């Protein structure tokens, strides 16, 4: 057993305790009243990387939630590896669907349940522990290392696009290892070659300046909920195609190889339907469900509200109605342009009698696409083959990690995903969990990867 | 000055104080947690009619919010008049739009501001004060009187349809005076000849059994908000016509006389648009706005909700979406049948991938229509001419007072509206108010009307 492996083994109980402490911080980046908790999570991370033996630890302001930087740069002639992760988490509503309070972690059958357990606190703690094990056991790292841990991934990293170009020298590196990711299953590894981008808007529809009696005014003035319904219904066709004018114009078509790689990944629609308890799958005609999730754009209403929502009835004709919409985008859609198209579409489809306002939401990510044959991904592939005993699938993610395209754009490097989340771990949902076996295996994987990158 | 007029004049300050006490009770019938307040309002009314000199005061259980009964039956050979009103009020949200708290009445420039001031506590207190004035000044009433004050009008009187036939003898009468109504303006009186009926349903759309990550599942499963949007958008055409199959089948067409009477009532669309701050009026093609408000049915979404509604963003594909819908109905639409048509429509228009449940809401009122030449309305017309110095308009109400059709059906009598609310008094909206001048004039009008009915 290598000395770092012995160290990992010996310190696992403490590492799990530390994970639980980290999970107790309600660092919800989307909710302004939790900003201090996000800051507290940054301070926790800064202290933890310092304890691991990294140097030059700093909490860098971004104008929004901060970034934690640290480095260890004593491997002259070796590559410089930037390790990425995020310490912010998703909101927790509907909170009454959680079995345990989301920020009171519970370990049950080798799984730790808490908001952020899988996405991404469990996964981002893994490389910190690997770095500590290497430094404490062999006394040095096999490569130069920098870390970039951020607190705004779950809201689309709105400040990172301006922050990163201002810190190009600080973050200069040869490749990125991205700890915000996963494997295909407990026994099947995966290389991530694409991420969807994204953008979002809020639509606010106003009719009368006040709520009205539906008996006195019903039939006389437009109901803003009906107006909003018309606008939203104009955005997608019955067969799942997005009907925003120009929406598909910039898309790089799927190649035969793309479709072959996607088709090679096991996919069981019946299991998904049973798991989610839905009577059918649904999406854009002409594409498989897996292609739709990974390689086609979407437009989803994330929230809608207006008028009376309490028990009972209120015969009101409301004054306002609202919706939040986000799109997932694929190469080479430009999020700025999509926001403009959404704005123009709403302007064109707002019925008479109301005004509609479109406000961009702070979620802007360019799509990311790699062939998967860069050095980082090749080394990760070797490690995965050794750990799992089989070749990885070449997968994509339907989600967005804005920094991958930002690292490509501003630092000129590819990202190799090295995370150990699994798709059943209820990321963004009640009862999110992370497998402690993945937590443990990830630590070994990072030590192996850094060693190979140093050869 | 008649002796009852002197009495009214002398006791006005106390009457206003009593109105303020009545308005302080938050008797919101729609919100279950306010049930005790509705009961408290019933007790306040029972005590007040007893103090006025009525007899056999009882708070009658209905299975829901109660009815207050009382009578004075010492005028043999004279007609029996049933006086109607309601002591429950609408909910108050959005409460932050109120200038003063809705249950802390303020008098400003001769107007009393509070929830229920106009609809209907101010108006229903008026006949009680008139009865007191008659009994205390001349010692008797000119007719036999019964009162029917209810606590569930604002939720559509769901229990009254079963309650009234069980108490036919108790409420037997020759005509109804309805204190839940209004005049056309401060100088122009009105006779109410029609009320719209109504019914409502809640639609609950369920997709996956839990909220999902919109990146992982967007494009794979149906979004329940989009499904709800499709269902709602299928219910009304772009030109305001309701597209529920069979919805218009039972409607008695407007006659030329109906349309002439409606057209005779002044109506200023520009003033309404300015008052409500809407860019256009909107409604069913082929009818004037006044016809649409008074004599055509409507379908309005009163509330919609689903997914993430807080500040910030959450890239969620929600599990559920909900809407509350109410319809206003005209003669001879049957609310039970309309609920069935809504159910069938939702079944037919629910897209694949979700389930939709339709639950009837406790709001069921048959439309009411009279020619206006019954005895009660003829006497009310004479009184209005004397008080206002001009003929009344023959108006309709777009709102629903379910008891009018129930009184017609079960007691075989017409209702004559004798209320003094005005349309600008923000019934059901923030900053509802009632004019103290109307409060005072109404007391005289009731005394005059009862005297004339006794001749």
């Amino acid at each position: 057993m290598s000395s770092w492996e012995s160290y990992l083994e010996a310190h696992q109980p403490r590492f799990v305790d530390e994970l639980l402490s980290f999970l107790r911080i309600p660092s919800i980046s989307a909710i302004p009243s939790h900003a201090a908790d996000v800051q507290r999570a940054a301070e926790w991370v800064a202290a933890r990387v310092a304890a691991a033996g990294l140097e030059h630890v700093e909490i860098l302001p971004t104008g929004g939630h901060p970034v934690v930087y640290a480095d260890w740069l004593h491997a002259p002639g070796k590559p410089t590896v930037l390790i990425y992760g995020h310490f912010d988490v998703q909101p927790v509503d509907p909170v009454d669907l959680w079995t345990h309070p989301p920020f009171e972690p519970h370990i049950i059958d080798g799984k730790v349940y808490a908001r952020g357990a899988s996405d991404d606190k469990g996964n981002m703690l893994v490389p910190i522990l690997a770095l500590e094990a290497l430094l404490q056991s062999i006394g040095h790292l096999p490569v130069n290392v920098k870390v970039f841990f951020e607190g705004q991934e779950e809201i689309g990293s709105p400040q990172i696009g301006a922050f990163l170009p201002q810190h190009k020298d600080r973050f200069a590196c040869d490749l990125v290892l991205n700890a915000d990711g996963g494997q295909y299953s407990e026994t099947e590894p995966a290389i991530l070659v694409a991420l969807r981008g994204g953008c979002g808007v809020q639509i606010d529809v106003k009719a009368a300046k006040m709520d009205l009696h539906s008996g006195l005014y019903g039939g006389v003035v437009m109901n803003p909920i009906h107006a909003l319904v018309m606008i939203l219904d104009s955005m997608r066709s019955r067969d799942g195609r997005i009907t925003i004018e120009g929406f598909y114009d910039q898309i790089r078509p799927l190649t035969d190889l793309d479709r072959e790689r996607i088709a090679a990944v096991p996919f069981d629609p019946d299991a998904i339907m049973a798991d989610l308890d839905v009577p059918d799958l649904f999406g854009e005609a002409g594409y498989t469900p897996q292609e739709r999730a990974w390689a086609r754009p979407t437009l989803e209403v994330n929230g809608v509200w207006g008028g009376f929502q309490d028990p009972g009835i209120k015969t009101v004709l409301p004054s306002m109605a609202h919706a939040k919409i986000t799109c997932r985008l694929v190469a080479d859609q430009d999020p700025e342009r999509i926001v403009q198209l959404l704005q123009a579409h709403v302007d064109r489809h707002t019925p008479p009698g109301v005004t509609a306002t479109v406000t961009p939401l702070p979620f802007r990510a360019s799509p990311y696409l790699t062939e998967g044959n860069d050095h980082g991904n090749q080394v990760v592939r070797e490690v995965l083959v050794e750990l799992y005993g089989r070749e990885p699938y070449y997968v994509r993610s339907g989600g967005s990690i804005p920094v991958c395209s930002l690292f490509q754009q501003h630092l000129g490097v590819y990202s190799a995903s090295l995370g150990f989340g699994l798709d059943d771990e209820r990321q963004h949902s009640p009862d999110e969990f992370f497998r402690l076996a993945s937590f443990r295996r990830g630590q070994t994987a990072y030590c192996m990867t850094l060693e190979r990158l140093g050869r």
Side-chain angles (χ1 to χ4, degrees), chain A:
Chain A
M1 192 183 283
S2 66
S3 58
W4 51 257
E5 188 75 11
S6 306
Y7 185 92
L8 290 176
E9 209 46 48
H11 293 272
Q12 216 49 224
R14 170 169 62 87
F15 291 171
V16 172
D17 283 348
E18 289 170 348
L19 173 57
L20 302 188
S21 298
F22 193 17
L23 291 172
R24 285 189 190 102
I25 305 172
S27 49
I28 303 169
S29 50
I31 300 179
S33 61
H34 281 279
D37 296 314
V38 179
Q39 178 68 27
R40 199 147 57 89
E43 287 158 12
W44 192 96
V45 170
R48 189 63 192 83
V49 295
L54 296 199
E55 301 166 345
H56 307 119
V57 182
E58 278 191 65
I59 298 177
L60 301 173
T62 65
H65 301 301
V67 167
V68 175
Y69 172 83
D71 63 33
W72 189 96
L73 303 174
H74 307 294
K78 301 294 186 181
T80 298
V81 177
L82 182 66
I83 298 176
Y84 169 81
H86 65 89
F87 50 82
D88 63 318
V89 300
Q90 279 278 316
V92 297
D93 59 294
V95 72
D96 53 327
L97 295 187
W98 287 77
T99 306
H100 304 289
F103 297 107
E104 296 176 17
H106 282 67
I107 297 174
I108 299 162
D109 293 339
K111 299 167 180 172
V112 55
Y113 287 84
R115 168 58 83 229
S118 178
D119 182 15
D120 178 44
K121 284 176 173 170
N123 272 304
M124 79 152 272
L125 185 54
V126 160
I128 299 173
L129 305 177
L131 294 170
E132 175 179 304
L134 289 164
L135 285 166
Q136 300 299 322
S137 60
I138 63 177
H140 66 275
L141 299 180
V143 292
N144 300 293
V145 167
K146 298 176 177 179
V147 303
F148 182 112
F149 295 133
E150 64 152 312
Q152 47 182 262
E153 196 275 340
E154 295 296 0
I155 54 171
S157 304
Q159 273 85 24
I160 305 304
F163 169 86
L164 192 60
Q166 289 166 14
H167 296 81
K168 278 169 96 142
D169 292 343
R170 181 193 289 268
F171 291 108
C173 61
D174 297 296
L175 62 98
V176 174
L177 289 180
N178 183 339
D180 184 21
Q183 301 300 325
Y184 184 78
S185 74
E186 290 181 270
T187 56
E188 298 156 295
I191 296 281
L192 181 72
V193 294
L195 289 155
R196 291 197 287 195
C199 61
V201 298
Q202 178 164 327
I203 303 173
D204 299 292
V205 177
K206 181 196 158 292
K209 68 182 177 191
M210 58 193 176
D211 284 2
L212 301 174
H213 186 308
S214 76
L216 301 184
Y217 291 101
V220 179
V221 300
M222 178 56 99
N223 181 326
I225 299 178
H226 283 281
L228 179 64
V229 157
M230 288 183 199
I231 292 168
L232 296 177
D233 203 21
S234 73
M235 291 182 166
R236 305 206 322 194
S237 70
R238 287 295 182 272
D239 65 353
R241 204 169 156 80
I242 295 156
T243 46
I244 306 293
E245 297 79 356
F247 188 84
Y248 293 99
D249 288 355
Q250 295 177 303
I251 294 177
R252 206 190 303 178
L254 283 178
T255 64
D256 290 345
L257 177 63
D258 289 334
R259 300 188 92 156
E260 277 166 32
R261 276 184 166 176
I262 294 171
V265 181
F267 178 78
D268 180 350
D270 292 332
I272 288 193
M273 284 190 280
D275 183 42
L276 303 182
D277 186 29
V278 291
D280 282 297
L281 299 183
F282 177 81
E284 186 186 2
Y287 295 89
T288 68
Q290 198 68 311
E291 287 171 348
R292 298 193 312 248
W294 283 357
R296 293 295 294 172
T298 63
L299 181 152
E300 299 289 344
V301 182
N302 306 117
V304 68
W305 69 102
F308 185 70
Q309 306 177 28
D310 292 331
I313 78 161
K314 184 181 181 189
T315 53
V316 68
L317 203 167
S319 165
M320 306 271 292
H322 316 269
K324 287 175 191 265
I325 291 176
T326 53
C327 293
R328 299 286 173 172
L329 307 177
V330 299
D332 295 310
Q333 286 178 300
D334 170 19
E336 296 292 340
R337 183 175 143 82
I338 296 296
V339 166
Q340 289 163 9
L341 294 178
L342 285 166
Q343 166 86 63
H345 181 92
V346 172
D347 289 348
R348 202 153 37 227
H349 288 83
T350 301
V354 299
T355 54
T357 309
V358 176
T359 309
L361 291 172
F363 172 43
R364 215 59 68 85
S366 294
Y368 173 78
L369 187 59
T370 171
E371 300 276 307
N373 51 9
D374 53 280
H375 183 56
N377 275 305
Q378 284 179 329
V379 167
V380 163
R381 184 199 136 267
E382 292 168 15
V383 169
L384 293 176
V385 168
E386 188 169 332
L387 276 175
Y388 288 81
R390 55 166 292 161
E391 283 291 333
Y393 297 118
Y394 283 80
V395 304
R396 298 172 178 229
S397 167
S400 307
I401 309 177
V403 290
C404 290
S405 47
L406 293 174
F407 289 149
Q408 193 169 30
Q409 183 183 348
H410 298 295
L411 307 180
V413 295
Y414 282 107
S415 295
S417 177
L418 189 56
F420 293 85
L422 295 176
D423 276 357
D424 65 354
E425 289 174 345
R426 296 169 164 266
Q427 299 97 339
H428 296 208
S429 296
D431 286 347
E432 177 178 352
F433 69 90
F434 189 46
R435 289 169 170 82
L436 288 177
S438 302
F439 183 63
R440 178 66 189 80
R441 176 187 257 167
Q443 297 161 31
T444 298
Y446 265 90
C447 290
M448 289 170 65
T449 302
L450 294 173
E451 280 197 332
R452 279 178 190 262
L453 286 168
R455 278 179 200 162

